[in-house]
Amino acid sequence: MAHLVLINCPDQPGLVYKVTGVMFRHGLDIVRNGEFVDHLANRFFMRSEVIGEFDAAAMLEELRQALPPTASIRITDNQPKNIVLMATKEHHCLSELLVRHEFGELNARVLGVISNHEVLGDLTSKFNLPFHYLPHAGRPREQHEAEVLAVLAQYKPDFVVLAKYMRILSPEFVGHYTNRLVNIHHSFLPAFVGASPYAQAFERGVKFIGASAHFVNEQLDQGPIIFQSVMPIDHTQSAAEMAQAGRDVEKITLARSLKLVFDEQVFVNGNKTVVFD
């Protein structure tokens, strides 16, 4: 079985030599390796897939001795992550993830679905997963978010996925899941905002539509980007056809970004990400 060694630390000469030396002394074979240095931030990132029998605690201690004192070091077997999905009324992202989960394509275990509407309850039930309907109407945002957090606390998820969850979350809520809350939005933001971005895009005659998946921070749609993709369109397509194409690119972009995150290929670097693809 492959193991992952994940390192994020201040840069200095000889880090790759030091890390690979430790791995060699512990009898490990490196089967895949990626390194990156952000020279502006003076940060070093490394993701290594290794095979072999070793004492993880002993190797971790030796790596700590070899690397800068503030280094972040993790050794993991990359087990499936526990996740909770949140959605509102649109089904395309939720259904894509539920199907992929059913066929073992996410490296994750979906524990349940939370929604502020009942619309997607029947869909969720087809996959034998718990569905938590937590309406927001008539409730202060603080009360509604407290109810959502209480359900999430029951599951203790590694990640929470906003699969078209159309509610603005408070900084207090986001703070509970720093770099563990993933969102998807159409790439028209901030150019076309509001409830009908595809109608606006149609009026402007755009030639590409796309989507961005990102970690959520206090500015919601301004967090570190994980993955983006685009699709060409032309003047022959109606606003409705553009919206359908947008839904297609959104669900694929979200699924792709989650695979990267769950396979430990994404490092957060300030308000950016380093992605070893």
Side-chain angles (χ1 to χ4, degrees):
M1 176 174 61
H3 309 274
L4 297 177
V5 180
L6 309 167
I7 296 170
N8 173 0
C9 68
D11 187 39
Q12 62 180 223
L15 289 178
V16 175
Y17 171 79
K18 291 178 180 178
V19 172
T20 55
V22 171
M23 294 175 180
F24 174 77
R25 287 191 290 277
H26 284 263
L28 295 175
D29 183 18
I30 301 173
V31 295
R32 189 176 183 185
N33 195 64
E35 313 113 26
F36 173 73
V37 175
D38 181 340
H39 293 287
L40 293 178
N42 193 44
R43 301 296 298 182
F44 171 82
F45 302 87
M46 185 170 179
R47 179 187 187 275
S48 299
E49 294 184 26
V50 298
I51 55 175
E53 298 297 325
F54 68 108
D55 184 329
M59 191 173 87
L60 181 62
E61 180 58 31
E62 190 171 345
L63 285 170
R64 292 195 185 284
Q65 295 298 320
L67 297 175
T70 58
S72 171
I73 309 166
R74 284 203 300 129
I75 301 174
T76 174
D77 293 337
N78 196 24
Q79 296 297 313
K81 309 302 186 289
N82 292 323
I83 68 172
V84 171
L85 307 178
M86 296 177 62
T88 294
K89 292 182 178 180
E90 296 180 83
H91 72 83
H92 57 288
C93 286
L94 179 63
S95 58
E96 180 74 18
L97 298 181
L98 292 178
V99 170
R100 288 175 181 254
H101 174 256
E102 181 74 14
F103 290 94
E105 298 177 3
L106 277 182
N107 192 27
R109 289 182 288 263
V110 177
L111 305 180
V113 176
I114 297 173
S115 180
N116 55 327
H117 289 272
E118 293 182 284
V119 176
L120 300 173
D122 287 343
L123 170 65
T124 303
S125 67
K126 295 181 189 301
F127 294 87
N128 298 313
L129 290 169
F131 181 80
H132 300 271
Y133 168 48
L134 301 176
H136 69 276
R139 287 174 167 83
R141 183 170 74 166
E142 294 78 7
Q143 179 185 346
H144 182 249
E145 288 190 350
E147 293 171 354
V148 175
L149 287 170
V151 173
L152 290 172
Q154 298 173 21
Y155 290 113
K156 298 180 175 61
D158 299 308
F159 293 92
V160 178
V161 180
L162 305 182
K164 301 299 289 184
Y165 183 71
M166 309 306 288
R167 294 277 295 167
I168 295 176
L169 299 173
S170 70
E172 291 75 22
F173 185 102
V174 173
H176 287 273
Y177 294 95
T178 302
N179 296 331
R180 297 192 293 137
L181 193 61
V182 179
N183 188 37
I184 183 71
H185 67 67
H186 60 77
S187 64
F188 295 134
L189 288 172
F192 302 124
V193 298
S196 56
Y198 289 102
Q200 298 175 61
F202 174 77
E203 292 297 327
R204 288 290 303 275
V206 300
K207 306 306 180 191
F208 283 91
I209 59 173
S212 299
H214 62 94
F215 292 111
V216 178
N217 62 12
E218 293 183 359
Q219 284 74 46
L220 188 62
D221 289 323
Q222 305 299 318
I225 295 170
I226 302 165
F227 186 74
Q228 296 173 294
S229 56
V230 297
M231 177 186 298
I233 56 174
D234 61 33
H235 62 279
T236 67
Q237 292 170 277
S238 67
E241 290 171 330
M242 289 172 57
Q244 179 59 59
R247 289 190 287 270
D248 290 342
V249 74
E250 283 179 349
K251 67 184 184 182
I252 297 302
T253 301
L254 179 59
R256 175 62 176 152
S257 71
L258 293 177
K259 190 68 166 59
L260 292 169
V261 170
F262 299 158
D263 282 346
E264 307 281 2
Q265 293 174 251
V266 181
F267 291 75
V268 176
N269 179 25
N271 202 42
K272 301 188 294 184
T273 57
V274 174
V275 180
F276 291 110
D277 199 354

